[in-house]
Amino acid sequence: MYSLSWKTMAMAVGLLLLFSSMEVESSLSLPDKIIKLPGQPQVSFQQFSGYVTVDEKNQRALFYYFVEAEIDPASKPLVLWLNGGPGCSSLGVGAFSENGPFRPNGEVLVRNEYSWNKEANMLYLETPIGVGFSYSTDASSYVAVGDKITARDNLLFLQRWFLKFPQYKHRDLFITGESYAGHYVPQLAELMIQFNKKEKLFNLKGVALGNPVLEFTTDFNSRAEYIWSHGLISDSTYRLFTSACNYSRYVSEYYRGSVSPICSRVMNQVTKETSRFVDKYDVTLDVCISSVLSQSQVISPQQVTERIDVCVEDETVNYLNRKDVQGAFHARLVNVNRWTVCSNILDYKLLDLEIPTISIVGSIVKAGIPVLVYSGDQDSVIPLTGSRTLVHGLAKELRLNATAPYRVWFEGKQVGGWTQVYGDILSFATIRGASHEAPFSQPERSLVLFKSFLQGRPLPEAF
């Protein structure tokens, strides 16, 4: 009798373990699990992708790609990454060109040895509706989309994503992004903080913004001094670009459809001198870096319509338009024939660009959430000088003293960039030699910065 009861107990424990493991499996949202992407090398981590519906009535659904951490994902934080545009893909730009685990190379994928999933569970979201594989069955959903709608959709996405992945619900959460995500990320963080006052759902631990649009006038008008100091325009053109028509005035007129004769003349001269053959997003680069640049077309409107395309093919676009790849991603195209890096069906309220978000960054800091603003120092579109000025001004407004002097930081035995910290909660850093898309152009240095940010540690002071 005694031994039989032990056998029975062992069987019961075995069944309990079996059911609990089944429960864990189901919580991993198996329908969204990626078995293997075409041409993908063997990896140990799990990948998921699919849709979260944010509006049942109009069948508005946001597409995500989720990559668990390479090692011990249960102990690693969750990081949401958003690309800018507005209207450009976090899958095509962020995941496949910048900090994701793979890069397309012809028919296959190759490993990115500086993937951010070495340090975190990475969640890439194609937002707003109409970007990448995100869709609505009602085409009117793509009209008059702006920052407020995008922020609300992103909040709802996260709430419902946690229903698919409940094991991440109370995990340390960081929100990161670049370019126009300087609008997306702070506005989402603000809604999360407000939501948490009613129901503690988001364990928000930090916000990081790369080459972000934070304050239209400061960010855009820092361009003149930057390109002049790098020898791209003459002294006389610099004077015109700062007095007769500055860049924020030109962009403002451009998006209102009424460029003044003086701004037209100034911009023609600036364009002529800077040359169409210099990459504005990386002034030292002399080759095309494919679709990674597309996310900035909105914040850098073209005065000259003719473009020189030195790219023979776009690896990411080719890969993501393969039927077998779309099948592996559980993705579908709705209202479009092809996946594109930046949406050509989205009608975004571009004047939202002029609404400052630096004050929202201040409210995030006041709520006790650390914020890092970082700049690739070769970007002339959103130059480091404007971002540094805005962070310093915010620190002064919040009465945050410098808690670390302006200094160099290291990656390996080289200077990785410069950094300044205020009140141990607000930081600014540059990434030396990096473009507008820092993780693309300086992956190793960007990973060092990312790791320090997640761990709340100072950037390396020595090598």
Side-chain angles (χ1 to χ4, degrees):
M1 275 303 281
Y2 184 76
S3 61
L4 183 64
S5 66
W6 269 106
K7 282 181 181 176
T8 306
M9 190 181 293
M11 191 180 294
V13 169
L15 284 168
L16 189 66
L17 286 171
L18 176 65
F19 286 129
S20 66
S21 68
M22 285 167 66
E23 192 173 275
V24 169
E25 278 292 298
S26 68
S27 75
L28 286 178
S29 192
L30 286 176
D32 286 358
K33 186 172 181 179
I34 296 171
I35 306 304
K36 191 176 184 182
L37 293 172
Q40 174 204 304
Q42 197 65 39
V43 293
S44 58
F45 54 85
Q46 297 192 96
Q47 305 172 80
F48 302 85
S49 62
Y51 290 94
V52 170
T53 301
V54 292
D55 177 359
E56 286 77 8
K57 183 183 174 185
N58 296 310
Q59 283 299 293
R60 296 165 66 248
L62 289 171
F63 181 83
Y64 76 90
Y65 172 49
F66 177 51
V67 186
E68 288 196 330
E70 274 189 21
I71 300 167
D72 195 16
S75 70
K76 299 288 199 310
L78 173 66
V79 174
L80 174 67
W81 172 270
L82 301 175
N83 274 99
C88 297
S89 166
S90 298
L91 174 66
V93 185
F96 277 88
S97 300
E98 297 192 71
N99 51 38
F102 308 116
R103 299 263 174 93
N105 185 5
E107 294 294 304
V108 300
L109 296 174
V110 294
R111 284 296 300 273
N112 171 16
E113 59 179 312
Y114 303 111
S115 173
W116 285 11
N117 83 317
K118 290 183 178 296
E119 302 297 333
N121 300 284
M122 295 297 300
L123 176 59
Y124 300 90
L125 174 61
E126 292 200 300
T127 185
I129 299 290
V131 173
F133 293 123
S134 295
Y135 71 89
S136 170
T137 53
D138 181 356
S140 68
S141 297
Y142 305 136
V143 179
V145 178
D147 287 359
K148 285 187 177 179
I149 292 171
T150 302
R152 285 200 305 266
D153 281 353
N154 292 345
L155 181 77
L156 190 54
F157 165 83
L158 272 177
Q159 288 173 261
R160 294 184 175 182
W161 188 85
F162 282 138
L163 298 177
K164 283 178 178 268
F165 296 87
Q167 69 274 31
Y168 285 95
K169 194 172 180 179
H170 300 293
R171 192 75 58 91
D172 285 359
L173 172 64
F174 295 83
I175 321 177
T176 58
E178 70 192 14
S179 195
Y180 198 79
H183 277 227
Y184 293 159
V185 171
Q187 289 168 338
L188 172 59
E190 182 181 41
L191 290 185
M192 291 164 73
I193 292 165
Q194 290 169 0
F195 186 91
N196 272 2
K197 290 175 182 175
K198 294 177 282 186
E199 179 191 340
K200 185 77 171 83
L201 175 63
F202 304 108
N203 191 18
L204 185 59
K205 293 294 186 181
V207 165
L209 305 165
N211 291 80
V213 183
L214 295 172
E215 201 276 304
F216 175 70
T217 306
T218 305
D219 283 324
F220 279 48
N221 291 338
S222 62
R223 174 185 286 210
E225 184 180 16
Y226 187 91
I227 62 176
W228 169 77
S229 69
H230 284 67
L232 275 69
I233 57 173
S234 63
D235 292 355
S236 59
T237 300
Y238 172 61
R239 284 192 293 272
L240 283 173
F241 205 20
T242 51
S243 58
C245 176
N246 60 28
Y247 194 60
S248 67
R249 176 182 164 185
Y250 163 68
V251 174
S252 185
E253 289 181 357
Y254 182 93
Y255 284 120
R256 285 172 172 81
S258 59
V259 177
S260 60
I262 184 63
C263 277
S264 187
R265 283 200 300 275
V266 170
M267 283 309 300
N268 274 323
Q269 187 61 26
V270 169
T271 302
K272 182 181 174 184
E273 290 183 9
T274 54
S275 167
R276 291 173 291 134
F277 298 92
V278 170
D279 186 346
K280 311 302 185 293
Y281 308 96
D282 186 340
V283 295
T284 59
L285 192 72
D286 56 6
V287 293
C288 172
I289 56 170
S290 191
S291 63
V292 76
L293 298 178
S294 300
Q295 70 167 320
S296 305
Q297 286 175 350
V298 170
I299 59 172
S300 187
Q302 301 294 320
Q303 176 74 1
V304 181
T305 53
E306 184 188 352
R307 296 188 191 178
I308 302 298
D309 184 7
V310 295
C311 306
V312 178
E313 72 174 358
D314 188 327
E315 305 273 12
T316 301
V317 172
N318 288 345
Y319 185 78
L320 292 175
N321 273 298
R322 285 169 48 180
K323 294 297 179 193
D324 57 338
V325 171
Q326 291 172 6
F329 270 118
H330 321 117
R332 52 196 174 120
L333 295 172
V334 179
N335 291 327
V336 292
N337 296 321
R338 282 175 61 77
W339 181 94
T340 56
V341 173
C342 297
S343 175
N344 48 28
I345 60 170
L346 180 67
D347 177 22
Y348 207 86
K349 293 162 70 175
L350 296 176
L351 294 182
D352 280 4
L353 183 70
E354 297 179 6
I355 302 169
T357 54
I358 188 68
S359 56
I360 301 176
V361 172
S363 69
I364 295 166
V365 171
K366 283 181 188 173
I369 310 295
V371 174
L372 164 67
V373 175
Y374 66 91
S375 295
D377 64 10
Q378 298 307 306
D379 177 27
S380 75
V381 174
I382 305 293
L384 73 95
T385 47
S387 300
R388 182 170 63 183
T389 299
L390 288 168
V391 172
H392 179 73
L394 181 61
K396 194 173 178 181
E397 183 187 320
L398 297 177
R399 297 181 179 176
L400 297 174
N401 295 321
T403 43
Y406 193 81
R407 64 167 175 84
V408 297
W409 61 272
F410 289 88
E411 173 270 307
K413 294 184 178 181
Q414 299 293 333
V415 171
W418 282 259
T419 182
Q420 173 87 71
V421 183
Y422 302 93
D424 291 327
I425 195 167
L426 177 63
S427 307
F428 173 75
T430 66
I431 301 178
R432 184 168 164 248
S435 66
H436 190 72
E437 290 82 9
F440 174 86
S441 50
Q442 287 291 341
E444 196 166 358
R445 289 173 186 172
S446 296
L447 183 59
V448 169
L449 182 88
F450 180 62
K451 185 177 180 180
S452 296
F453 164 65
L454 294 182
Q455 295 176 350
R457 293 181 178 174
L459 283 156
E461 293 187 54
F463 58 84

